[in-house]
Amino acid sequence: MSTSIISGIQLYHLCRNNSHYGLLSMSCGSETGWGECVITTDAPHFDIIAWGDFLCKLNRQSLADARNTALLNREAWGDAKTELVLMALSNLAHSAAAKEEETPDSSILFEESMSYFSVL
């Protein structure tokens, strides 16, 4: 799957107890990988579009190129964004095995999300 191209990127913004979380979904054909991170704590407002803009660089890249892009941009993106992407890519690369694991229900994510960002 390393030569497969990323076909979809969705970032969900969840908030619990004034902590903001990001749940990233990256798709490659019919396979999906997930990553999650704490975005910020104790912030009353959060702009998912401004924070998730870096994901546009990954659109339509191969999994290997996306991984390299994340690693090369670690200093600019920071550890949270970089690890979020690497986690989703790793999960996507192993998605056949992950099918047996429980994956988030997108309808529930939409209901619980404070905001949503998608790269098409």
Side-chain angles (χ1 to χ4, degrees):
M1 183 177 285
S2 62
T3 59
S4 298
I5 303 299
I6 294 172
S7 58
I9 301 170
Q10 293 82 34
L11 179 62
Y12 300 88
H13 164 216
L14 304 164
C15 186
R16 300 276 192 277
N17 302 321
N18 288 333
S19 292
H20 300 270
Y21 302 89
L23 184 60
L24 177 63
S25 167
M26 298 182 84
S27 301
C28 186
S30 64
E31 305 295 328
T32 302
W34 294 89
E36 61 184 319
C37 74
V38 175
I39 296 171
T40 186
T41 58
D42 298 325
H45 302 288
F46 175 73
D47 183 353
I48 191 93
I49 304 294
W51 191 87
D53 186 52
F54 75 101
L55 294 168
C56 294
K57 292 182 180 189
L58 304 174
N59 195 31
R60 306 289 183 228
Q61 287 193 4
S62 70
L63 300 185
D65 287 345
R67 184 178 189 287
N68 288 335
T69 297
L71 293 172
L72 290 172
N73 286 284
R74 183 182 291 274
E75 188 173 324
W77 293 357
D79 289 336
K81 291 178 181 180
T82 302
E83 292 303 319
L84 176 67
V85 169
L86 294 176
M87 184 186 306
L89 288 170
S90 176
N91 186 258
L92 179 56
H94 299 97
S95 65
K99 284 190 186 275
E100 296 176 9
E101 297 176 14
E102 189 173 323
T103 58
D105 182 333
S106 60
S107 62
I108 293 172
L109 284 175
F110 277 118
E111 286 179 25
E112 293 187 11
S113 293
M114 300 295 293
S115 54
Y116 169 80
F117 177 72
S118 181
V119 180
L120 303 174

